[in-house]
Amino acid sequence: MRPINFTNIELWTKFRDGDDEALTMIYSVNSPRLYLYGLKLTSNHSIVEDVIQDLFSELIRTRKNLGDTDNIQFYLIKSFKRRLQRELLKEKRYTMKENVEDYIFEITYSIEQNIILEESSNQKTALLHKALNDLTSRQKEAIYLRFNQELEYDEIAEMLEMSIEGCRNLIYRAIKSLKDSFHGDNSILLFFLHTLI
């Protein structure tokens, strides 16, 4: 399939109208992102894969009845997270209480691999682990959605069911905590935020 540049609205409209090439484009761009995001919420690869398949099967089945969107990635992440939470609740492996930060959201950073190669790797690796442990799961998820998935604050706020101002504050506090942990070394912080996997 040759790459074609469509806007989100055009691509989504083509998909809803039954264009299989549009479906392929949407799936190939978004399924890896959904998979990595799902693994932040559970280590069960099978459930993540099943939920992605179920999500796209449902989208194909109901495509003519789907609403408009100008941000396919956000639409899919939000739908995927809701489905994954339901599935994990069924499996009794996941609990999320409203407005409580008691769920697990794991982030691994490729910076660890790069730090190990540096001369002061042990110290920096310890610093990285401390920085991560100091963040709440909600902060980790917000940072992941902002810097890896590149969602806007309003989209993250909707995903986390909080106000936009609360979302901005959450991310600000997380970045401040990381910055404090890195003792103001902004180069490590910037690399750290842009190497989420």
Side-chain angles (χ1 to χ4, degrees):
M1 177 181 67
R2 62 187 179 84
I4 303 172
N5 291 324
F6 292 115
T7 67
N8 271 262
I9 294 170
E10 292 169 335
L11 187 60
W12 192 248
T13 300
K14 286 181 169 297
F15 164 66
R16 287 181 359 183
D17 290 342
D19 186 320
D20 287 334
E21 188 173 347
L23 167 64
T24 302
M25 290 172 71
I26 291 169
Y27 182 83
S28 64
V29 167
N30 291 285
S31 62
R33 291 176 175 175
L34 296 176
Y35 183 74
L36 289 175
Y37 181 56
L39 292 180
K40 308 302 178 195
L41 296 167
T42 178
S43 59
N44 189 321
H45 295 261
S46 298
I47 288 179
V48 172
E49 290 168 1
D50 289 347
V51 171
I52 291 170
Q53 288 303 114
D54 291 346
L55 172 62
F56 277 94
S57 296
E58 179 73 11
L59 289 174
I60 292 166
R61 193 177 62 75
T62 62
R63 70 167 96 190
K64 292 185 191 236
N65 300 322
L66 295 173
D68 295 332
T69 185
D70 61 355
N71 190 333
I72 296 170
Q73 178 185 354
F74 173 65
Y75 180 92
L76 293 176
I77 287 174
K78 187 174 177 190
S79 300
F80 171 74
K81 182 179 180 182
R82 210 171 29 244
R83 284 175 173 269
L84 182 61
Q85 287 174 340
R86 278 196 308 261
E87 191 61 36
L88 292 171
L89 282 171
K90 278 189 219 170
E91 297 287 324
K92 296 182 181 173
R93 295 181 183 152
Y94 185 80
T95 58
M96 179 176 289
K97 297 177 183 173
E98 196 171 325
N99 298 322
V100 177
E101 297 182 11
D102 65 348
Y103 62 101
I104 303 300
F105 188 87
E106 290 300 328
I107 293 181
T108 55
Y109 293 89
S110 60
I111 189 173
E112 287 182 89
Q113 297 163 356
N114 294 322
I115 288 175
I116 289 169
L117 299 175
E118 295 179 12
E119 205 171 286
S120 59
S121 64
N122 291 338
Q123 181 184 5
K124 289 182 180 178
T125 301
L127 199 61
L128 172 61
H129 286 292
K130 183 191 179 315
L132 284 173
N133 289 334
D134 289 346
L135 295 180
T136 67
S137 290
R138 201 164 174 86
Q139 287 174 321
K140 291 176 191 176
E141 185 173 11
I143 284 179
Y144 178 84
L145 292 171
R146 180 71 179 138
F147 293 97
N148 185 270
Q149 297 294 337
E150 298 178 352
L151 296 184
E152 298 298 327
Y153 287 104
D154 60 330
E155 296 167 333
I156 298 167
E158 190 174 333
M159 290 282 297
L160 300 180
E161 298 177 353
M162 63 191 309
S163 71
I164 296 171
E165 183 180 342
C167 177
R168 285 183 186 277
N169 289 337
L170 180 71
I171 292 173
Y172 170 79
R173 285 191 309 271
I175 291 173
K176 184 177 183 321
S177 174
L178 290 172
K179 194 171 184 177
D180 291 347
S181 295
F182 294 135
H183 304 293
D185 188 338
N186 289 334
S187 62
I188 294 177
L189 177 62
L190 290 173
F191 186 67
F192 179 77
L193 291 174
H194 288 285
T195 55
L196 292 166
I197 60 171

